[in-house]
Amino acid sequence: MARGGLTRFVAVSLLVGTHVGLVSSSQVSWCDSTPENQRYEVFLGVETCIPLCAFVDSKPPPPSPPPEPAAQEDVGERRRLLSDRKLLQSNLLNISRTEISHGYPDTYEDPFKYPYDEVNYPPSAALIGAEEYTEVTKNYCFTPSAGEECTYTVCFQAEDLDGEYDVSTARCYRLDVYNAVLKFDGDDEAEYDQLNQLMKAPDGLTMSSWVYPDCSGNYVGNQTLMYFGSDRNYETSMGTDEGLKIRHGLKWSIGADSETGSFYYTDCEVGSVFSPSQYYCGVWHYVLVTIAPDSTGFLFVDGYKAGHELPTSQDEYTWSVTEFTTRSRVDDGADGTTDGVYRFGYLQGEGEGFIGMLDEMRVWNKAVSQYEAFELMLARSADSSVKNVFTMSTDSSAVTSPTTLVGAPEITYKAIPPMVPCVLGMEHSVGPTVGDCTTEVYGWNFADGLMTQCSIAGMQVRATYVSDDVVKCDTPGHVSPRFSEVLATNDGTNFTDTTAAGKTIYHLYLESSLYLQGESTQGASADDVCEDFTADSLAVSVGTWVCPKCGPPSNQNADPADFSTPCLTESC
């Protein structure tokens, strides 16, 4: 929007500082099209842009630029003109990061309450666009990569760099990076009918998924996760070709206690191959099955080695690898038919609907080793050899869209273990060197998995999942007072990348001390110390370190006389 044809250079700059705040406005204003205090839902690998537009109003135009010096002019005059042009451009064209003033109280309304009250810019984001005279339009664009699945508070100001350095108010935004999963309620089924035609049955098969069995409903029995099958129904000279309904299937079977169960592989040739019945519902599990061209295969659940455990914990990490042999193969349409199917969440004609969530369903046209299966479990994104991957993203360009056959599977947001969480704050940022202080750790994309951990001063401790943005940890002890970096992991291997998060959180270890708030019921006694004195003791010395709190006592409405010391006003 032009404003009277005036010409002024305006720049949009990032704001970097401690807390979100406002800088007083001058004659630089935001366009009506620029959003304010908005939250954006962002997804891995999908670009999101914040549109920014500002203008300068009611100001005289800048002086005209000096002319371009002619080649035949005096060398000294030519240098002077070039210097004038460069000086004018340096005064007008600039993009810089400036400090935010501390303008807001701690109780500032959403979306910038603690721990989101400090700016943290994603390192891969960029401010795109060129400076202009009267009006500037730019886009702040962000395409999250692995490690950047955090929430970011970003702030901007528009600044007139010519002469008076006028600035606009700040505009701040939240970029929330989510992970989408597919949720089933027991009556939902989806399929991707083109996958079989992409496969070559003799080359082997691997398929995997992150699986979150739901504990609600007290449902006991078998639940279908996914399967390759066939809808063949042809009359032949040897009878009816029904195609073998299940060629390769993965299922979950919850036990009578409605808490633990088994994952199992099934097909029409080998029957069913079960893992140990040791896996809990209400937590994420990684399930993979692989079959080699020589018909050997294994069912892999949550790992393959005891070393993938927490060294400071006595808890046992449950995992299993179950081997089997089968001659069953994918119906890949090699005979010219297209009856092969790939379905998940439900088994047509038999029910066995899954209750829970699925994500990162991947299929390879090859077999993998146990070590490779473990690496695939830790990988946030599929490798280039994958035939198909369902990321469940709400962005249609980033996912192979399944066709719903029964019910309506719901897309919801939930972190999964291969995501790297970011740490943004703590409930107790100061604690004793002896440790054992339970504190909430605030962040983004914590997963309800088996290896969710905190790391404080490089020491890993078990984390209790509360929500995708809160976990609880017991601080480990430390030998001496110090600031210690706080990180988190969902898989026990990949910890918070503080550069990618744009923020580093520290826990301060201090020697244990007695904290008093001025209440009459507070204090401590150590009467046993009197037993250390003898009848010959003629003197005693007492010393302590004291850190008085500034300001009035916590009970600010009390009568000051209640806190006076009689010995200072009367004879004792």
Side-chain angles (χ1 to χ4, degrees):
M1 60 184 76
R3 290 292 185 274
L6 301 180
T7 54
R8 300 286 284 179
F9 268 110
V10 180
V12 174
S13 61
L14 298 179
L15 294 173
V16 177
T18 305
H19 293 280
V20 174
L22 291 180
V23 178
S24 59
S25 175
S26 183
Q27 297 187 30
V28 180
S29 303
W30 292 103
C31 304
D32 294 340
S33 60
T34 301
E36 184 174 6
N37 295 345
Q38 187 168 320
R39 296 179 68 170
Y40 289 83
E41 294 181 353
V42 190
F43 300 92
L44 179 70
V46 180
E47 183 181 70
T48 297
C49 294
I50 303 174
L52 301 168
C53 172
F55 64 90
V56 180
D57 202 0
S58 302
K59 284 192 175 184
S64 300
E68 182 72 30
Q72 67 271 20
E73 286 186 299
D74 178 79
V75 173
E77 178 65 12
R78 178 178 174 81
R79 287 178 176 174
R80 185 187 67 78
L81 291 174
L82 287 173
S83 177
D84 288 348
R85 289 181 63 84
K86 184 176 181 181
L87 178 63
L88 179 61
Q89 292 171 353
S90 67
N91 287 337
L92 297 176
L93 298 174
N94 185 42
I95 295 180
S96 63
R97 296 187 173 191
T98 56
E99 293 290 329
I100 301 176
S101 67
H102 297 253
Y104 287 142
D106 293 339
T107 55
Y108 183 58
E109 64 182 15
D110 283 336
F112 304 117
K113 286 183 178 180
Y114 180 81
Y116 315 117
D117 59 334
E118 298 182 28
V119 292
N120 60 316
Y121 296 96
S124 67
L127 196 58
I128 302 171
E131 294 80 2
E132 299 292 344
Y133 285 101
T134 304
E135 179 176 309
V136 59
T137 300
K138 291 194 173 185
N139 287 291
Y140 185 73
C141 295
F142 175 39
T143 304
S145 59
E148 290 184 315
E149 292 179 277
C150 190
T151 181
Y152 297 92
T153 297
V154 296
C155 297
F156 307 92
Q157 275 186 295
E159 184 176 10
D160 175 13
L161 301 180
D162 180 24
E164 298 179 1
Y165 297 93
D166 296 328
V167 295
S168 70
T169 57
R171 289 285 171 94
C172 297
Y173 308 92
R174 281 271 302 277
L175 293 168
D176 299 331
V177 184
Y178 288 104
N179 179 65
V181 302
L182 204 58
K183 184 177 181 180
F184 296 82
D185 63 6
D187 296 316
D188 306 318
E189 181 184 53
E191 78 164 355
Y192 183 60
D193 56 7
Q194 302 174 34
L195 184 54
N196 286 62
Q197 282 67 53
L198 300 176
M199 305 292 288
K200 294 182 179 179
D203 293 346
L205 166 73
T206 299
M207 61 179 180
S208 68
S209 179
W210 282 99
V211 182
Y212 186 97
D214 200 304
C215 295
S216 63
N218 295 321
Y219 178 83
V220 178
N222 302 328
Q223 301 181 25
T224 301
L225 303 177
M226 67 199 75
Y227 69 96
F228 278 96
S230 179
D231 286 343
R232 287 173 178 265
N233 189 12
Y234 301 112
E235 293 297 332
T236 70
S237 59
M238 300 179 63
T240 303
D241 179 2
E242 296 181 350
L244 301 179
K245 188 169 187 176
I246 300 180
R247 301 295 186 95
H248 304 288
L250 285 174
K251 294 189 178 185
W252 158 256
S253 178
I254 192 166
D257 62 0
S258 298
E259 293 183 355
T260 59
S262 302
F263 293 97
Y264 67 98
Y265 168 81
T266 182
D267 66 37
C268 290
E269 200 269 338
V270 74
S272 298
V273 179
F274 284 80
S275 74
S277 183
Q278 62 186 16
Y279 299 105
Y280 279 86
C281 59
V283 67
W284 284 106
H285 298 281
Y286 184 73
V287 184
L288 174 146
V289 65
T290 187
I291 301 168
D294 65 358
S295 299
T296 61
F298 60 83
L299 173 64
F300 175 103
V301 183
D302 288 338
Y304 80 108
K305 58 182 181 179
H308 186 58
E309 294 183 352
L310 186 62
T312 58
S313 173
Q314 295 294 323
D315 296 341
E316 292 186 0
Y317 178 80
T318 55
W319 55 274
S320 63
V321 176
T322 307
E323 298 180 346
F324 62 89
T325 301
T326 181
R327 294 174 297 174
S328 185
R329 294 294 183 268
V330 172
D331 185 355
D332 60 3
D335 58 356
T337 62
T338 57
D339 298 295
V341 298
Y342 174 69
R343 292 172 177 150
F344 39 95
Y346 195 82
L347 181 59
Q348 281 194 349
E350 299 182 28
E352 296 188 351
F354 176 59
I355 303 174
M357 292 174 282
L358 300 176
D359 193 26
E360 291 295 326
M361 300 166 63
R362 302 171 183 173
V363 177
W364 293 264
N365 198 176
K366 65 177 184 178
V368 299
S369 67
Q370 292 183 22
Y371 176 79
E372 289 172 321
F374 185 74
E375 293 299 308
L376 293 173
M377 179 179 75
L378 299 179
R380 178 64 182 102
S381 300
D383 65 309
S384 59
S385 67
V386 70
K387 277 293 182 181
N388 200 79
V389 56
F390 295 90
T391 65
M392 311 308 172
S393 171
T394 56
D395 181 80
S396 59
S397 65
V399 62
T400 304
S401 300
T403 302
T404 301
L405 298 181
V406 179
E410 173 189 356
I411 289 183
T412 188
Y413 298 156
K414 187 82 170 173
I416 57 175
M419 299 176 71
V420 178
C422 61
V423 176
L424 301 174
M426 296 183 72
E427 179 187 16
H428 303 301
S429 56
V430 179
T433 55
V434 295
D436 202 27
C437 175
T438 301
T439 180
E440 290 186 345
V441 176
Y442 308 122
W444 200 256
N445 279 325
F446 296 120
D448 193 1
L450 299 173
M451 293 297 292
T452 307
Q453 303 170 17
C454 296
S455 172
I456 303 177
M459 292 177 284
Q460 297 168 231
V461 292
R462 183 79 66 196
T464 301
Y465 174 87
V466 178
S467 65
D468 278 20
D469 53 11
V470 179
V471 293
K472 284 187 176 181
C473 296
D474 291 335
T475 59
H478 207 284
V479 294
S480 62
R482 65 186 59 211
F483 280 101
S484 300
E485 191 175 61
V486 182
L487 308 174
T489 178
N490 289 326
D491 61 10
T493 300
N494 299 301
F495 286 83
T496 303
D497 183 338
T498 56
T499 300
K503 190 175 183 179
T504 304
I505 299 301
Y506 294 94
H507 179 72
L508 175 59
Y509 280 107
L510 291 177
E511 295 289 353
S512 301
S513 59
L514 184 64
Y515 179 69
L516 304 174
Q517 296 179 292
E519 303 291 341
S520 60
T521 57
Q522 292 184 332
S525 63
D527 296 339
D528 291 346
V529 74
C530 297
E531 298 177 2
D532 295 331
F533 292 96
T534 67
D536 297 330
S537 297
L538 300 178
V540 62
S541 298
V542 179
T544 186
W545 284 100
V546 180
C547 180
K549 179 182 177 182
C550 299
S554 59
N555 187 0
Q556 299 182 26
N557 297 321
D559 186 340
D562 294 341
F563 299 96
S564 63
T565 305
C567 287
L568 299 180
T569 58
E570 304 173 6
S571 59
C572 296

